[in-house]
Amino acid sequence: MSAGSQLLGYSDPVHAERARIVGCAYEHADEIADDVMAKLRVELPGYGTADAGFLADVHDQLARLSRTGLGALLEHKRVTPADVSYARQAAARRARCGLPLVDYIAAFRLGQRAIWKSLLAHAGDTDAGREAVLSLAGPLARYTDLISTQATDAYLEFQQYVTAESSRDGQALMDSLLDGALPASGPHLSVATAHGIGAERTAPLVVVTAMVLDPAPTADSLCETRQVVSAALARTGVNGLRTLSVVRDTEIVAIPALRPDGSAEQLCERLRALREQLAADGVALAVGVSTSVTEVGQIPRAHRQARAALALLPEEGGVLALPQMTPFRYLLLRADDTTRQLVDPRVGAALADDRARGGTLADTVRAFAAADMNLREAADALHIHLNTAKYRLGRIQELTGRNVRSVNDLVELLVAIELL
């Protein structure tokens, strides 16, 4: 019996039939989507009056969801929310178009039926085929439950965001906070308190500024994507509360309230995970995070910091979080061409050659500095022999003329390494 058969607990013939049936259904994902679309327009009023562009988008999503689920069955793995992150944007599009939630969720039930119908059609009349297709019922039901839950959450989340945006309470509050003022009373103060802002005078906050990077967006799609990103940032909190997040012109601004200890580490990790999830769905994002502040009057400065961090990111975007950055690293990121020209050509040439060879000499210098010039600790950190570390530092001195045990020379080398 093969490893896959032992894993599933079925005989080889059943295992082979299972793979064949799922593979055939996978190849007919577009036909599955066609089957669902035919029923959607007849059984669900929200789809019956939709335009051609909307229906084409629905068809694409149905085919993609079918391939994701059937592909996971082929690979014997369980689908995770990250695997279907693209469904969140589709849910936002359905909410924006006014599709009733009951019709949207009913579509997933029809999708499950269509996939099951395709699996049955390819099962045949053999005992192994029947046993194989029955073994797929449980995983298919779990997959449908997962994607419908993810879609419902995203639909409601976006609907709540649009409602808040239409009331302008969140927008007005953000404008006030970025001016350094907390409303004294009224609905705006209630919104602030609900997001953990101003409830305690010493509660730490950061400002997050994000931009969607799209080389050739249409106005509508870019606006929609910004709103999706803003809604996603609203759920990226660390204190059990939603984060205040709004779209302001070309940027998305969020003000997450941190836990009482003021640490932004977990928030920064969640922002990086969010960026990776969006990137998997084709949305490139640049995110800047300010240092933490404890007074509303400091929020304008934090906003300027977040924008400055954003400006230091490369064209492909990323997350630049000031709470995780040393002053030394920040200064180097802001260095101009003149700074780079001040690097001794001999040092630059040596480091460029080292980089082409894998950067072991530069890594050793970094480790030596991080270990407070303790060579043995640097060798341990690099998992190399002490004599190897000694050789590398000697080689650096020979190539650059800089003595790593001189503070001035060591700093010059570190600056050159980071710049080059």
Side-chain angles (χ1 to χ4, degrees), residues 32-61:
I32 292 174
D34 292 340
D35 187 11
V36 180
M37 292 300 298
K39 292 181 173 60
L40 286 180
R41 302 194 66 179
V42 173
E43 299 182 21
L44 303 177
Y47 292 92
T49 58
D51 60 32
F54 177 91
L55 294 174
D57 184 29
V58 172
H59 185 282
D60 288 344
Q61 286 296 313

Side-chain angles (χ1 to χ4, degrees), residues 47-247:
Y47 292 92
T49 58
D51 60 32
F54 177 91
L55 294 174
D57 184 29
V58 172
H59 185 282
D60 288 344
Q61 286 296 313
L62 288 169
R64 188 173 182 182
L65 286 168
S66 295
R67 290 190 179 95
T68 299
L70 293 168
L73 289 174
L74 281 172
E75 296 177 9
H76 311 302
K77 70 175 187 179
R78 188 182 292 268
V79 180
T80 67
D83 296 327
V84 291
S85 61
Y86 58 85
R88 301 191 69 86
Q89 283 195 297
R93 293 195 293 274
R94 306 299 175 260
R96 169 170 284 281
C97 291
L99 180 72
L101 179 59
V102 63
D103 286 358
Y104 183 49
I105 300 307
F108 289 96
R109 172 175 50 81
L110 293 177
Q112 180 182 10
R113 288 182 181 176
I115 294 176
W116 182 244
K117 176 182 174 182
S118 180
L119 293 171
L120 287 174
H122 293 99
D125 295 325
T126 66
D127 290 340
R130 286 190 290 269
E131 186 176 354
V133 78
L134 287 175
S135 75
L136 298 169
L140 178 59
R142 288 193 294 271
Y143 176 61
T144 304
D145 182 61
L146 169 68
I147 57 177
S148 60
T149 300
Q150 290 290 309
T152 302
D153 289 347
Y155 182 102
L156 293 174
E157 179 182 86
F158 188 79
Q159 198 172 56
Q160 290 169 359
Y161 171 79
V162 171
T163 300
E165 184 74 1
S166 63
S167 70
R168 298 299 177 186
D169 285 343
Q171 186 74 53
L173 172 60
M174 181 64 77
D175 290 343
S176 178
L177 293 173
L178 294 182
D179 285 336
L182 181 69
S185 61
H188 296 165
L189 179 60
S190 298
V191 174
T193 303
H195 289 88
I197 301 171
E200 298 180 19
R201 291 185 60 84
T202 59
L205 310 164
V206 296
V207 175
V208 176
T209 300
M211 290 192 69
V212 176
L213 309 177
D214 191 334
T218 64
D220 289 342
S221 67
L222 183 54
C223 178
E224 178 183 284
T225 301
R226 286 175 182 147
Q227 291 175 337
V228 169
V229 171
S230 185
L233 285 173
R235 68 175 185 271
T236 309
V238 293
N239 61 356
L241 299 173
R242 286 178 63 83
T243 292
L244 177 66
S245 178
V246 301
V247 177

Side-chain angles (χ1 to χ4, degrees), residues 328-410:
F328 176 76
R329 177 64 178 161
Y330 180 73
L331 288 172
L332 290 179
L333 283 175
R334 294 178 64 87
D336 56 16
D337 288 339
T338 301
T339 308
R340 292 176 175 82
Q341 289 172 4
L342 290 173
V343 174
D344 187 318
R346 182 180 176 186
V347 173
L351 292 175
D353 182 66
D354 173 57
R355 183 176 182 179
R357 296 172 183 272
T360 56
L361 298 184
D363 289 343
T364 307
V365 173
R366 287 195 186 98
F368 184 65
D372 294 327
M373 299 189 188
N374 186 311
L375 188 57
R376 185 174 296 279
E377 289 185 9
D380 290 342
L382 293 170
H383 306 292
I384 60 176
H385 193 276
L386 178 61
N387 290 338
T388 302
K390 286 181 180 179
Y391 168 79
R392 290 181 182 178
L393 293 186
R395 185 65 176 153
I396 278 285
Q397 182 168 339
E398 176 186 342
L399 292 171
T400 65
R402 299 321 191 259
N403 182 358
V404 294
R405 295 197 178 275
S406 162
V407 173
N408 287 337
D409 285 2
L410 180 58

